[in-house]
């Protein structure tokens, strides 16, 4: 448990090697792969080198070493926030970690949870201004008695003009 962060980091590095489709040599405190190859591998994107065509890694969290981990290893960041006001003070820490790792923060997709009843539709613009590109709306936070009714109400309230 004490080395969970180091284990996570190592697994991400090993998975990216594996997803490139090459024979993998990876020796660490956590993994011992020699002559290992995995199939199938992720589909390659047009014009993208195989080593960069891996499955996106999204790292969640908003405390401790997560900012550095996101900047160093992730394709996306999912902070544990539900309103823009919780996210806003985290952005400078995220950007600083990206700067320290020589990474453009805009190259990392930010996803946030949004609970419409807490903030209303005006929050969407605030999230966008903070760099969020995807909002996840938990159905249990919506009004209605069934999941279908909740989604229908959400669409009528927030997406009917989209």
């Amino acid at each position: 448990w004490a080395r969970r962060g180091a284990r996570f980091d190592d697994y991400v590095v090993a998975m990216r090697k594996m997803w490139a489709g090459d024979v993998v040599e990876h020796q660490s405190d956590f993994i011992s792969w020699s002559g290992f190859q995995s199939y199938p591998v992720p589909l390659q994107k047009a014009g993208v080198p195989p080593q960069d065509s891996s499955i996106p890694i999204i790292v969640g969290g908003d405390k401790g070493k997560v900012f550095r981990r996101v900047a160093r290893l992730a394709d996306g960041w999912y902070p544990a926030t539900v309103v823009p006001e919780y996210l806003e003070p985290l952005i400078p820490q995220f950007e600083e970690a990206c700067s320290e790792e020589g990474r453009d923060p805009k190259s990392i997709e930010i996803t946030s949870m949004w609970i419409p009843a807490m903030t209303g539709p005006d929050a969407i613009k605030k999230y966008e201004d903070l760099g969020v590109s995807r909002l996840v709306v938990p159905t249990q936070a919506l009004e209605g008695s069934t999941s279908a009714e909740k989604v229908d109400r959400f669409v009528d309230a927030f997406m009917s003009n989209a």
Side-chain angles (χ1 to χ4, degrees):
W1 179 253
R3 298 189 63 208
R4 68 190 179 279
R7 179 181 299 272
F8 176 89
D9 294 352
D10 187 51
Y11 284 2
V12 169
V13 170
M15 287 185 300
R16 288 197 189 274
K17 287 180 181 180
M18 181 180 66
W19 292 334
D22 299 326
V23 175
V24 178
E25 301 295 330
H26 187 90
Q27 302 298 321
S28 67
D29 290 348
F30 308 105
I31 298 173
S32 179
W33 288 344
S34 183
F36 177 79
Q37 195 165 18
S38 178
Y39 290 101
V41 295
L43 291 174
Q44 290 187 0
K45 300 171 197 160
V48 177
Q51 67 271 18
D52 295 334
S53 289
S54 64
I55 296 167
I57 301 291
I58 311 300
V59 175
D62 59 13
K63 292 179 180 51
K65 297 178 183 177
V66 74
F67 301 105
R68 194 95 196 240
R69 183 165 285 118
V70 168
R72 189 174 61 251
L73 297 171
D75 301 297
W77 175 40
Y78 195 161
T81 60
V82 294
V83 296
E85 292 75 19
Y86 295 169
L87 178 60
E88 189 170 13
L90 302 175
I91 296 296
Q93 295 173 71
F94 165 70
E95 290 174 341
E96 180 180 347
C98 287
S99 176
E100 290 171 1
E101 292 293 328
R103 185 112 182 253
D104 180 0
K106 290 181 177 30
S107 72
I108 300 170
E109 184 177 73
I110 302 173
T111 299
S112 185
M113 190 173 299
W114 173 46
I115 299 177
M118 293 178 71
T119 59
D122 293 340
I124 295 170
K125 176 71 171 126
K126 291 177 187 174
Y127 278 118
E128 184 180 17
D129 291 346
L130 291 170
V132 173
S133 56
R134 178 183 299 116
L135 292 172
V136 175
V137 180
T139 56
Q140 65 268 32
L142 300 174
E143 293 182 20
S145 56
T146 66
S147 292
E149 182 183 349
K150 290 176 180 194
V151 171
D152 286 344
R153 285 184 178 194
F154 175 80
V155 169
D156 289 344
F158 297 103
M159 299 179 75
S160 58
N161 295 328

